[in-house]
Amino acid sequence: LGYTIHSWSKWFAVTGSVGKTTTVSLLGKLYKYVVGNNGIPTCSLPNNILYGEPIVAEVSSAQLMINKAFKPHICAILNIIPNHLDFHASLEEYTNVKLSIVQHQDENDYVLLPYDSLWGQDLKCKSQKIFIGGKLETGQNCVYIEKNNVYLRLNNTAKVIFTINKTHLQGQHNVRNILVAGTIAYLDYKSKLQIETMIETFYPLEHRLEIFRIHQGIRYINDSKATTGYSTIAALESLQDSSCILIMGGKTKGANPY
């Protein structure tokens, strides 16, 4: 309903199994309207949004199943792992729903994909693909890091679009989230300074590798938003230089075994 009302706006959409909220919250440092788990409901957007005003959306598989007309100008599929299989009939169905975010895009639009995903390479779409996280030797559009400088190679031309000088986020999974948010902002003509300020002033959200107490030299970290095995492994890898006692539990949501 919210998209139908504001379909003339410029939509930037982030989907995937994990990392969506952090990525759109980063973009919330630059954009007024953010909808999703950490924003406002789409149907609560004000009526007086200007034509072409950017709207950043965190998009779930359930929303993609319902909205058959969604056409984001820039979208990102962060990752696809077994998740919500207590709702979807199979991993194949879940994957196809996630990939459907590109179905109405055209050659003027962009889709950001993990550089190491086979499904990203195989994805058929009209939009321009940009692979995130690694320098591809195939000449494809990609975003990669060299000595903290983030390069975008687009149409065979590479340039530095921002530098990661300082970040409060931990882990390689969050580096990818930063690359996605920064690339979306760059494609929307945000300056290098704006993007770097976004990164440097952003702090981890609650329940996501959140250091909530240090007592007698021991750090207590709340990562209760890690609701998949993938998320838990990513969090542990980000703490690999530390001895760690892990307290965990929860449901597999049909994604069994891990």
Side-chain angles (χ1 to χ4, degrees):
L1 177 60
Y3 175 74
T4 302
I5 296 171
H6 298 289
S7 59
W8 62 81
S9 297
K10 185 163 53 176
W11 287 78
F12 306 145
V14 178
T15 194
S17 301
V18 292
K20 299 184 295 297
T21 301
T22 294
T23 305
V24 300
S25 297
L26 270 161
L27 288 166
K29 287 282 188 179
L30 296 177
Y31 294 99
K32 182 177 180 180
Y33 299 114
V34 177
V35 296
N37 285 348
N38 207 43
I40 62 173
T42 310
C43 57
S44 296
L45 287 166
N47 293 327
N48 59 345
I49 295 178
L50 297 176
Y51 183 87
E53 179 84 15
I55 298 174
V56 179
E58 176 180 355
V59 183
S60 69
S61 58
Q63 290 167 322
L64 288 170
M65 290 179 72
I66 294 169
N67 193 335
K68 303 297 185 181
F70 188 48
K71 183 184 182 299
H73 172 49
I74 306 173
C75 69
I77 308 173
L78 301 178
N79 43 58
I80 298 178
I81 60 170
N83 201 8
H84 301 300
L85 300 185
D86 50 351
F87 176 77
H88 294 280
S90 64
L91 178 59
E92 181 181 12
E93 178 192 283
Y94 174 66
T95 300
N96 288 336
V97 169
K98 288 292 190 185
L99 299 181
S100 71
I101 196 170
V102 303
Q103 64 182 327
H104 296 298
Q105 287 189 304
D106 58 40
E107 59 276 3
N108 297 312
D109 301 319
Y110 299 93
V111 55
L112 279 52
L113 303 159
Y115 83 101
D116 51 359
S117 62
L118 293 177
W119 48 263
Q121 293 287 346
D122 293 340
L123 178 63
K124 306 299 182 186
C125 60
K126 295 180 180 178
S127 46
Q128 300 179 63
K129 291 183 181 180
I130 299 176
F131 292 96
I132 301 292
K135 186 176 182 180
L136 299 176
E137 301 304 326
T138 56
Q140 293 169 292
N141 298 334
C142 60
V143 173
Y144 57 94
I145 302 177
E146 289 183 356
K147 297 180 180 178
N148 293 338
N149 290 316
V150 177
Y151 288 81
L152 167 63
R153 185 172 68 204
L154 186 62
N155 301 324
N156 293 315
T157 299
K159 64 177 295 186
V160 176
I161 57 174
F162 60 93
T163 302
I164 304 177
N165 296 307
K166 174 185 175 183
T167 177
H168 300 283
L169 295 173
Q170 299 182 67
Q172 287 301 307
H173 60 296
N174 275 321
V175 172
R176 289 237 188 148
N177 295 338
I178 290 170
L179 294 182
V180 168
T183 303
I184 291 174
Y186 172 79
L187 293 172
D188 190 45
Y189 308 107
K190 298 299 184 187
S191 70
K192 186 172 182 287
L193 177 60
Q194 286 176 301
I195 296 170
E196 290 170 358
T197 300
M198 171 190 77
I199 296 166
E200 292 173 14
T201 59
F202 183 82
Y203 284 83
L205 301 173
E206 288 184 325
H207 318 303
R208 293 164 174 84
L209 283 175
E210 174 193 9
I211 300 175
F212 71 93
R213 188 179 185 189
I214 300 176
H215 180 64
Q216 295 182 352
I218 299 172
R219 291 187 302 163
Y220 293 82
I221 299 174
N222 174 9
D223 196 46
S224 56
K225 195 61 182 66
T227 57
T228 68
Y230 176 95
S231 303
T232 302
I233 291 169
L236 291 172
E237 287 177 342
S238 73
L239 303 172
Q240 60 184 343
D241 294 332
S242 306
S243 58
C244 176
I245 297 174
L246 175 65
I247 303 172
M248 63 178 289
K251 297 181 178 179
T252 63
K253 294 179 285 184
N256 188 42
Y258 272 118

